[in-house]
Amino acid sequence: MSVIYNKVALIGLGLIASSIFWSSKRGGLATEVSGYARSQATRDTARRIGLCDTVCDSAIEAVKDADLVMLCVPVGAMGQVAQEISPYLKPGCTVSDVGSVKAAVVDAVAPHLPGGVHFVPGHPLAGTEHSGPESGFATLFDNRWCLLVPPAGADPEAVAKLRRYWEGLGSNVDEMDPEHHDLVLAVTSHTPHLIAYTMVGVADDLGRVTDSEVIKYSAAGFRDFTRIAASDPTMWRDVFLNNKQATLEILGRFTEELFALQRAIRVGDGEELFDYFTRTRAIRRGIIEAGQDTAAPDFGRTKTGQ
Amino acid sequence: MSVIYNKVALIGLGLIASSIFWSSKRGGLATEVSGYARSQATRDTARRIGLCDTVCDSAIEAVKDADLVMLCVPVGAMGQVAQEISPYLKPGCTVSDVGSVKAAVVDAVAPHLPGGVHFVPGHPLAGTEHSGPESGFATLFDNRWCLLVPPAGADPEAVAKLRRYWEGLGSNVDEMDPEHHDLVLAVTSHTPHLIAYTMVGVADDLGRVTDSEVIKYSAAGFRDFTRIAASDPTMWRDVFLNNKQATLEILGRFTEELFALQRAIRVGDGEELFDYFTRTRAIRRGIIEAGQDTAAPDFGRTKTGQ
């Protein structure tokens, strides 16, 4: 691998930013990586564990001379950060982000950026339920997709360079427009997260009644939901507030289907249930064939050494 | 380990039965294990892979002289199997099952069993999304719960023996009554499965529209749902038809909460969302502390070798 950007600045030092740092180091993709986090405790942790070549005490300091500025803060904070750093951006640099919502981020960030700065928003489809500066690791993006949503008229060279950087981090890269991104992600990520949060909340209410039996007997199914529902609350609050339309649209379809299955249960229509469950089973195979998950039973967490 | 039952008969040879066989072998818990499956193909596979000491061509033959008969068929087939084998059961033997629903199984099976036969229904809280005779493995039950629901007046010695057998298979064993079991499982397993099936179904409808982008970009969240929704359709159809009341009750609560969160999104109530997501995050910690799941990010399927 060779250096793609001389200096990269990471604004926000959570799971994604820290993974970018370790992965960027692994690939030798940047000569220098600076970082900034709003919280003093996070900056202290970053310094202690060697996260970033330089940890700065202000975003302004971090972006100085940076060729790529990556906004890795919650979606709701993107606009304010962009406003703060914009006068200090190096002419000709690229500003990108890693937010899970794209149209709202484009609307919040683009108006603040000066001419001559390239804005190429992005979204790596990768993560875990853990968060914070110590949760990152170099392989997070390997073989996962990163979606770039360059605005109309974006500089092709700036886009191509960011693409090479993400490929260097291990990702496969695709481009699409922000609205389409937000709809696809409402289906594959946002609505599933909301549903998992809800189911875990319901179980929690009942768990108190049944003296933590819900936790004790958490069978597969619920266990998986609790992992999803353990994701960062700030990040997810911002996702739902900023991808409102698409999430509500998919939730509407979800509720409709759920009511149909609920009715099938109530009236005892076994054929409808069986057909539905057979159809969904095939989708799992599609995902495994697409290389986006493991075929090992139970994600491999069950040892099958027979 | 020492022999607990001289002869064990497994009726039905899917994931659970095949795991019982391998685990029983591992522990030396039975002198002989016979097996029967309705399908010729399944019996052929069992013979080919050495599943069971004897594979029989009828359930009647399999249960002959068995000290423990384990019904490992879908919940909806339990009653019919019990009726078929009951005249051929060894006096004093124990009949148990592994169904995910207990009250309906008790109602379906108990009336067929002759006096002098001990009926001790059970449910191992273990499984994967795979099914069939080749999906079992010896460690499936290790450190997972098995719930026994002995009827009032059950022979204490028969219950204790079955408990020792499940402990030998690796499980922790608890007892509860069938109705309570069905409510707890509706929360921890049945409703989460229905929700996952529904979400995957919705995505499938949209996936066809968006040219399989839903599969290609299946981020965490949806990927987890597809694993759950890949479970055996026959088994799950029977679960919902036979745990109707509890499932509908929990679905009602789920929908209520989902509508509350949906409303919070619509009106932009970030505080409500944040508080809800913070509460559910704590539950994950409870499950990990209870030893019922791994703390590794993403169930450990992501390599974190940093």
Side-chain angles (χ1 to χ4, degrees), chain A residues 26 31 187 225 252 270:
Chain A
R26 178 187 68 172
T31 312
V187 178
F225 278 46

Side-chain angles (χ1 to χ4, degrees), chain B residues 11 44 71-72 98 115 127 165 191 194 196-197 227 295:
Chain B
I11 308 302
D44 290 347
L71 306 180
C72 306
V98 300
Y165 188 68
T191 307
L194 192 73
Y197 276 122
R227 189 191 72 79

Side-chain angles (χ1 to χ4, degrees), chain B residues 150-295:
Chain B
D155 178 54
E157 178 50 34
V159 176
K161 206 167 171 180
L162 185 61
R163 174 187 277 268
R164 285 203 305 281
Y165 188 68
W166 273 109
E167 287 169 351
L169 296 173
S171 288
N172 307 312
V173 179
D174 254 358
E175 293 178 26
M176 58 174 65
D177 70 66
E179 290 71 24
H180 188 65
H181 167 279
D182 290 355
L183 180 63
V184 170
L185 268 289
V187 178
T188 58
S189 175
H190 305 169
T191 307
H193 271 80
L194 192 73
I195 290 166
Y197 276 122
T198 305
M199 187 65 228
V200 174
V202 169
D204 185 41
D205 291 343
L206 289 157
R208 284 168 189 166
V209 177
T210 58
D211 195 15
S212 94
E213 278 178 316
V214 165
I215 283 180
K216 190 171 171 190
Y217 304 126
S218 63
F222 185 66
R223 279 194 301 164
D224 293 2
F225 279 44
T226 63
R227 189 191 72 79
I228 301 173
S231 302
D232 186 44
T234 306
M235 172 191 157
W236 283 99
R237 176 199 63 197
D238 283 6
V239 165
F240 295 119
L241 295 179
N242 288 283
N243 196 18
K244 189 184 289 196
Q245 279 319 111
T247 305
L248 293 176
E249 155 76 18
I250 302 304
L251 270 177
R253 287 172 183 250
F254 171 82
T255 315
E256 223 173 76
E257 298 260 323
L258 186 63
F259 283 164
L261 288 176
Q262 187 169 324
R263 187 178 170 280
I265 293 173
R266 197 181 297 278
V267 303
D269 185 344
E271 201 179 336
E272 182 175 344
L273 296 172
F274 182 83
D275 290 347
Y276 202 95
F277 300 165
T278 302
R279 182 162 70 91
T280 56
R281 190 172 217 190
I283 298 176
R284 179 74 185 162
R285 283 197 292 274
I287 287 179
I288 290 164
E289 282 159 18
Q292 291 305 301
D293 207 351
T294 170

Side-chain angles (χ1 to χ4, degrees), chain A residues 22 125 127-131 136-137 139 144-145 147 174 176 180 184 187-189 191-206 208 210 213-234 236-237 240-241 244 247-248 250-251 253-255 257-259 261-262 265-270 273-274 276-281 283-284 286-287 290 292-299 301-306, chain B residues 22 125 127-131 136-137 139 144-145 147 174 176 180 184 187-189 191-206 208 210 213-234 236-237 240-241 244 247-248 250-251 253-255 257-259 261-262 265-266 268-270 273-274 276-281 283-284 286-287 290 292-299 301-306:
Chain A
W22 298 116
L125 307 187
T128 77
E129 69 276 27
H130 296 194
S131 54
F137 49 95
T139 57
R144 308 307 313 277
W145 287 97
L147 302 178
D174 253 359
M176 57 174 66
H180 188 65
V184 170
V187 178
T188 58
S189 176
T191 307
H193 270 80
L194 191 74
I195 290 166
Y197 276 121
T198 306
M199 187 63 228
V200 174
V202 168
D204 185 41
D205 292 342
L206 289 157
R208 285 170 190 166
T210 58
E213 278 178 316
V214 165
I215 284 181
K216 190 171 170 190
Y217 304 127
S218 64
F222 184 65
R223 278 194 301 165
D224 294 2
F225 278 46
T226 62
R227 190 191 73 78
I228 302 172
S231 302
D232 186 45
T234 306
W236 284 98
R237 177 199 63 197
F240 295 118
L241 295 179
K244 189 183 288 197
T247 304
L248 292 176
I250 301 304
L251 269 177
R253 286 173 183 250
F254 171 81
T255 314
E257 297 261 323
L258 185 64
F259 284 165
L261 288 176
Q262 186 170 323
I265 292 173
R266 198 182 296 280
V267 303
D269 186 344
L273 295 172
F274 182 83
Y276 202 95
F277 301 164
T278 301
R279 180 162 69 90
T280 55
R281 191 173 216 189
I283 298 174
R284 178 75 185 163
I287 287 179
Q292 291 305 302
D293 207 351
T294 171
D298 226 1
F299 305 120
R301 70 179 159 199
T302 306
K303 287 183 204 71
T304 56
Q306 172 179 299
Chain B
W22 298 116
L125 306 187
T128 77
E129 69 276 27
H130 297 194
S131 53
F137 48 95
T139 57
R144 308 307 314 277
W145 286 97
L147 302 178
D174 254 358
M176 58 174 65
H180 188 65
V184 170
V187 178
T188 58
S189 175
T191 307
H193 271 80
L194 192 73
I195 290 166
Y197 276 122
T198 305
M199 187 65 228
V200 174
V202 169
D204 185 41
D205 291 343
L206 289 157
R208 284 168 189 166
T210 58
E213 278 178 316
V214 165
I215 283 180
K216 190 171 171 190
Y217 304 126
S218 63
F222 185 66
R223 279 194 301 164
D224 293 2
F225 279 44
T226 63
R227 189 191 72 79
I228 301 173
S231 302
D232 186 44
T234 306
W236 283 99
R237 176 199 63 197
F240 295 119
L241 295 179
K244 189 184 289 196
T247 305
L248 293 176
I250 302 304
L251 270 177
R253 287 172 183 250
F254 171 82
T255 315
E257 298 260 323
L258 186 63
F259 283 164
L261 288 176
Q262 187 169 324
I265 293 173
R266 197 181 297 278
D269 185 344
L273 296 172
F274 182 83
Y276 202 95
F277 300 165
T278 302
R279 182 162 70 91
T280 56
R281 190 172 217 190
I283 298 176
R284 179 74 185 162
I287 287 179
Q292 291 305 301
D293 207 351
T294 170
D298 228 0
F299 305 120
R301 71 180 158 196
T302 307
K303 287 184 204 70
T304 55
Q306 172 179 295

